[in-house]
Amino acid sequence: MPWYLHIALRHLFPQGKRFPFFTLMSVTGVSLGVALLIIVISVFNGFGHEIRTKIADTYGDARVTNGGILYDPDSLVASIEAQEGVTRATPYANGVVMLLFRNQPLYPIIEGVDMRSDEELDKLASYMTLGDIDDFDDDSLLLSSGFASQMGLLPGDEVDLYTPLMGLKLKQSGGDEVLLPRLLRIAGIYQTGWQRADENTIIGSLRLMQDLYDLGDGAHGLRVQFGEGLDAEEEAFTLTQSLGRPYYARTWMDSQSEFLSVLEFEKRMMFFLLFFIIIVSAFSITSSLLISVIRKTREIGLYRSMGATSRQVSACFCFQGLLIGVTGTMLGFALGFLVLAFRTQITQGISSIMGVSSSMKEIYAFSYLPVHIVPFDLVVISTLSILVAVLAGLIPAIRAGKLKPVEALRSE
Amino acid sequence: MSDFILEARSVQRSFESGEKQIEVLRGVDFQLKSGQSASIQGESGSGKSTLLNLLAGLDLPDGGDVLWKGESIDGKSGDVLSVLRGSLIGMVFQSYYLVPELRALDNVMLGGRISGKVEKIEERSIELLERVGLGDRMKSLPATLSGGERQRVAIARAMISNPRILLADEPTGNLDETTGDSIMEMLQALCREDSVALVLVTHNTAYASRMDDSWHLKQGVLELSERVE
């Protein structure tokens, strides 16, 4: 090891002596900054990941449509499920209806799900907060929590449902054929945790939608699920290519691109703001190393008298910045992962100390603090932290390198 | 080619003190042959340490020239001078200047590492510490050593790079008489055994008289007061 690296190591971690205070403060500053960045970004990623998962769950990885009505969805299901990477395809139909309850009309978006698919029903069951999925049939509805509270509906209540088809039929028959509204029972209330799905959406059976929209055995499209870990956009592109026109596979990301860019923007802003902590700790490194240069001025003169070049002296102090950065980042990673591992206990502890309920499910539809660790984020955090620490060491290093040997030796 | 390993020719050096210009050295001439020893005496503030720094290339003269092995150091960059100094000159200071974070052995090894003479460095450092009588204190930190022991470590550190010249700036200045005597004896013995030229800046006339040449610096002028032929 070159002598200046050895000296840098010994300045920071001397043998047989107490851990120097300035090293402790500098390393602690970087550690806390890195730990905080890891914790906040991972929790932020966790929320984003949960929301994305919920969107993908409710929307499906992709939806295949032909721009109109699929009159034979079952044959298309068979053809799509035969494709590599596709795990499931289920028909759906959606549209807008009017719901009337106690003379109060509202216009929710209705989504018809295929009751033959156990997976679809299991997924719905996992989001239900009131009622029982076993009560859900062709004559009942599931309401999103936001919609239910807006109308004051509870499981067991009955509502009248009107479709745009009623007016169309009346017009086509010249006033001879009148479709009556459907009386439907509320089977349950669900909450996905995705605001858009929880605000103004209701769910009925595909059979019900086929009746309401006069689709026969048809559907508006197919909800497609890809295999675990596959890139939905890539798979959707392949699917579109293989199905050919007029079919088109659109991913949930395409449909929610605006929302996703907001999520990404928020994460970047959070990263940017929290990174100031690292920059503050960089100032602490600079001041500590500058003090060290002043304290060790005569030592620097000694190195020069023994044959050290100014670059070697600079490297000694620059390396100290690097060491502080690397050590602080490593400790920050350890601290960050430790806090993330015990996040549930910590949030519960804080809640009990502050005497507030920690029911996150009520607010976020999560019963735990979600965490998603993205390796790329960790690489960015560690690289930038170490880089800032090295830059922080540059000013003292340049100052040390510029010291004239004779003046350094003479200094008091 | 000059016979001298270290030479100063008409060296001048002055410093600013407020609006005043103080001439410390007014055309100093000095010569030292390989393996010889010389003492420089003078009153406090007479410029002895300034001259030593100029001879070591740590400072540059305002006028005149310093030559190492007959070659002028004038015009050489600070870093080039550092590298040349590391291979040619060893320095011992009154205040020892040991690195407090390093053990005695590491302090000695540091001298070799900086000067680039790293071959068998640990063995040579141990041998040097044994020669200066510190075989049993190698793992001690400077803070746990006495003044005399610290100076011994500093001398061993100066000798580890096999210098041709040793510049010692009042090496016994901080030590009591007995310890000072033993340090001087050891310093001379080491230089004699290894054929190292020694320049000793001292106030002590007895130590000065043990050198081959005795120089006296007075009012910026260096005079040879005694030479042993």
Side-chain angles (χ1 to χ4, degrees):
Chain A
M1 183 191 291
W3 69 268
Y4 42 91
L5 303 188
H6 183 242
I7 289 293
L9 261 173
R10 286 290 156 261
H11 276 175
L12 294 175
F13 312 108
Q15 284 178 322
K17 287 178 86 178
R18 271 189 312 134
F19 205 59
F21 185 71
F22 97 87
T23 308
L24 189 69
M25 288 296 103
S26 304
V27 169
T28 305
V30 178
S31 305
L32 289 178
V34 168
L36 199 62
L37 262 175
I38 289 174
I39 294 164
V40 173
I41 294 298
S42 297
V43 170
F44 216 82
N45 281 336
F47 273 101
H49 188 255
E50 286 292 320
I51 290 168
R52 283 160 198 251
T53 308
K54 284 175 196 305
I55 297 173
D57 265 2
T58 50
Y59 183 90
D61 283 337
R63 288 189 175 195
V64 174
T65 57
N66 64 355
I69 295 165
L70 302 174
Y71 287 104
D72 185 13
D74 288 344
S75 67
L76 189 62
V77 164
S79 140
I80 289 177
E81 283 187 341
Q83 300 271 341
E84 200 181 338
V86 175
T87 54
R88 195 170 70 242
T90 46
Y92 74 89
N94 57 11
V96 179
V97 290
M98 184 179 90
L99 220 63
L100 194 65
F101 180 63
R102 291 176 189 158
N103 288 328
Q104 182 193 358
L106 271 179
Y107 302 87
I109 294 163
I110 185 166
E111 177 98 2
V113 298
D114 190 353
M115 302 285 280
R116 294 171 298 177
S117 166
D118 290 338
E119 289 90 348
E120 292 284 308
L121 294 176
D122 288 346
K123 204 165 39 179
L124 282 173
S126 70
Y127 290 133
M128 283 184 64
T129 54
L130 282 174
D132 193 334
I133 193 71
D134 292 336
D135 297 335
F136 182 45
D137 55 25
D138 292 340
D139 295 314
S140 61
L141 294 170
L142 298 176
L143 306 186
S144 62
S145 55
F147 185 80
S149 66
Q150 202 177 348
M151 287 201 86
L153 283 164
L154 285 169
D157 288 339
E158 288 185 326
V159 292
D160 283 322
L161 189 144
Y162 297 77
T163 76
L165 197 66
M166 291 170 172
L168 191 68
K169 284 276 180 195
L170 191 66
K171 190 179 169 187
Q172 282 173 347
S173 64
D176 293 339
E177 194 182 342
V178 177
L179 278 179
L180 293 175
R182 286 282 293 266
L183 184 68
L184 296 169
R185 177 175 38 83
I186 307 303
I189 292 167
Y190 66 86
Q191 188 179 12
T192 63
W194 179 32
Q195 201 188 6
R196 289 189 191 191
D198 293 340
E199 249 178 19
N200 192 35
T201 310
I202 62 174
I203 290 172
S205 70
L206 179 64
R207 188 70 261 157
L208 174 69
M209 282 298 288
Q210 285 167 341
D211 287 348
L212 293 174
Y213 276 78
D214 199 19
L215 298 174
D217 289 331
H220 285 139
L222 298 186
R223 190 183 288 120
V224 180
Q225 208 72 40
F226 298 119
E228 188 81 29
L230 291 176
D231 184 334
E233 293 203 62
E234 221 169 84
E235 295 299 319
F237 178 75
T238 312
L239 196 57
T240 303
Q241 297 287 89
S242 66
L243 290 173
R245 291 181 73 179
Y247 298 108
Y248 178 71
R250 191 167 187 243
T251 65
W252 63 269
M253 285 162 274
D254 293 331
S255 71
Q256 307 297 330
S257 58
E258 206 176 299
F259 177 67
L260 291 176
S261 39
V262 169
L263 271 184
E264 195 58 34
F265 178 73
E266 283 179 348
K267 180 185 157 186
R268 281 185 194 160
M269 281 307 291
M270 193 64 78
F271 190 97
F272 173 73
L273 294 174
L274 287 175
F275 198 72
F276 275 95
I277 298 171
I278 305 274
I279 292 176
V280 169
S281 71
F283 278 96
S284 128
I285 294 172
T286 303
S287 61
S288 299
L289 287 178
L290 273 175
I291 292 168
S292 175
V293 170
I294 292 165
R295 273 177 50 227
K296 294 185 179 298
T297 299
R298 288 211 288 189
E299 214 172 279
I300 292 166
L302 170 80
Y303 300 147
R304 298 300 305 276
S305 77
M306 291 195 292
T309 63
S310 53
R311 278 191 186 183
Q312 288 172 329
V313 171
S314 292
C316 177
F317 285 89
C318 203
F319 188 63
Q320 288 183 50
L322 174 69
L323 270 178
I324 290 169
V326 171
T327 313
T329 303
M330 280 162 59
L331 290 176
F333 267 60
L335 181 65
F337 285 125
L338 193 71
V339 170
L340 289 177
F342 291 99
R343 63 189 184 278
T344 310
Q345 291 87 334
I346 293 169
T347 47
Q348 282 170 353
I350 293 170
S351 299
S352 66
I353 289 168
M354 296 177 75
V356 292
S357 159
S358 65
S359 180
M360 290 185 57
K361 202 168 174 65
E362 287 170 13
I363 306 162
Y364 297 112
F366 311 134
S367 55
Y368 56 95
L369 194 63
V371 161
H372 183 63
I373 295 166
V374 179
F376 179 73
D377 287 346
L378 300 184
V379 171
V380 171
I381 291 171
S382 51
T383 308
L384 286 179
S385 307
I386 293 169
L387 189 70
V388 166
V390 172
L391 289 175
L394 270 184
I395 297 168
I398 291 168
R399 191 188 158 112
K402 279 187 175 172
L403 282 174
K404 290 185 178 166
V406 71
E407 287 171 9
L409 281 168
R410 270 201 211 119
S411 75
E412 293 300 322
Chain B
M1 188 76 174
S2 168
D3 291 340
F4 304 112
I5 191 159
L6 183 63
E7 194 178 354
R9 288 180 187 165
S10 306
V11 165
Q12 296 165 26
R13 186 73 174 102
S14 56
F15 296 97
E16 280 178 22
S17 175
E19 289 181 0
K20 273 184 163 179
Q21 191 84 3
I22 301 170
E23 277 189 274
V24 179
L25 301 176
R26 305 174 184 200
V28 165
D29 291 303
F30 174 84
Q31 304 87 29
L32 185 71
K33 285 184 180 172
S34 183
Q36 279 195 331
S37 60
S39 67
I40 300 172
Q41 283 184 283
E43 290 173 4
S44 295
S46 60
K48 303 185 295 295
S49 296
T50 301
L51 176 59
L52 206 69
N53 288 331
L54 289 166
L55 291 175
L58 292 171
D59 194 9
L60 294 173
D62 299 327
D65 204 359
V66 173
L67 296 92
W68 293 347
K69 293 200 289 186
E71 193 181 337
S72 168
I73 65 169
D74 187 33
K76 289 190 165 60
S77 74
D79 282 349
V80 170
L81 278 180
S82 279
V83 174
L84 288 174
R85 183 169 49 244
S87 61
L88 184 70
I89 298 171
M91 292 192 79
V92 178
F93 304 93
Q94 183 178 352
S95 301
Y96 330 124
Y97 295 159
L98 298 183
V99 180
E101 291 88 357
L102 301 182
R103 303 172 304 170
L105 178 63
D106 294 323
N107 262 290
V108 177
M109 285 166 66
L110 179 66
R113 281 180 167 156
I114 291 179
S115 61
K117 295 181 179 168
V118 290
E119 198 182 335
K120 292 183 179 173
I121 186 153
E122 189 162 357
E123 290 96 312
R124 289 194 294 117
S125 301
I126 292 169
E127 187 199 323
L128 263 169
L129 280 170
E130 281 168 351
R131 280 173 77 188
V132 297
L134 288 176
D136 56 341
R137 304 300 306 270
M138 285 190 231
K139 290 185 177 173
S140 303
L141 285 169
T144 63
L145 299 173
S146 69
E149 286 172 329
R150 287 181 205 184
Q151 195 59 291
R152 286 165 192 263
V153 176
I155 291 168
R157 182 183 61 194
M159 297 296 285
I160 190 69
S161 55
N162 296 325
R164 301 284 312 279
I165 307 159
L166 189 70
L167 304 178
D169 190 0
E170 301 192 40
T172 60
N174 284 352
L175 304 173
D176 62 65
E177 200 178 326
T178 317
T179 313
D181 285 347
S182 70
I183 291 289
M184 270 311 299
E185 275 171 29
M186 188 204 68
L187 189 61
Q188 280 189 281
L190 280 175
C191 288
R192 198 168 42 244
E193 287 161 18
D194 295 355
S195 299
V196 175
L198 172 65
V199 179
L200 175 73
V201 167
T202 182
H203 284 292
N204 190 309
T205 313
Y207 299 155
S209 65
R210 295 185 200 171
M211 303 295 122
D212 297 329
D213 293 348
S214 292
W215 298 81
H216 204 91
L217 188 61
K218 197 173 180 184
Q219 292 178 331
V221 179
L222 189 69
E223 288 173 353
L224 183 65
S225 50
E226 194 181 336
R227 170 164 285 169
V228 178
E229 294 298 334

